[in-house]
Amino acid sequence: MAGLVTPYLTLAAILFCIGLYGALSKKNAVIVLLSVELMLNAVNLNLVAFSKFGAHPSLTGQIFSLFNITVAAAEVAVGIAILIAWYRNKGGTDVNEMDSMKH
């Protein structure tokens, strides 16, 4: 069974690393949000792969994946609303300028 899950885990690790690189290195807030979504999709891929090819196959991982997709959709809606408000007030979406929200 370990050989069947390896390609899924490899793909998920690659997706997660690409998302992590994008979240840590990009300055545009929209790209950072997309990178976070890419990391969440890598987690979903792991959940489904272990659900299908794990020691005790069941639907638990797939159900958790659906909850994760729901939370990710809510996160994107709130994040985009914050970004639109930020863009209207400041005129840009540079992540380095967003520390002024602390003050």
Side-chain angles (χ1 to χ4, degrees):
M1 282 293 178
L4 295 174
V5 75
T6 304
Y8 297 105
L9 298 181
T10 304
L11 178 62
I14 291 169
L15 286 175
F16 192 85
C17 289
I18 291 170
L20 186 64
Y21 172 75
L24 294 177
S25 67
K26 302 301 179 186
K27 293 185 179 189
N28 190 347
V30 175
I31 301 299
V32 172
L33 277 176
L34 287 173
S35 298
V36 170
E37 290 298 317
L38 196 61
M39 290 190 292
L40 286 173
N41 283 330
V43 171
N44 287 337
L45 184 59
N46 278 336
L47 286 171
V48 171
F50 282 123
S51 173
K52 177 78 173 160
F53 299 111
H56 303 288
S58 66
L59 292 177
T60 306
Q62 295 173 15
I63 292 170
F64 277 127
S65 181
L66 286 175
F67 282 126
N68 195 3
I69 290 169
T70 305
V71 169
E75 176 246 336
V76 166
V78 171
I80 293 295
I82 291 171
L83 283 179
I84 289 172
W86 181 267
Y87 184 78
R88 286 182 181 170
N89 288 333
K90 301 292 182 180
T93 59
D94 190 11
V95 176
N96 293 332
E97 297 173 1
M98 290 189 182
D99 62 348
S100 66
M101 293 173 66
K102 293 185 220 175
H103 304 291

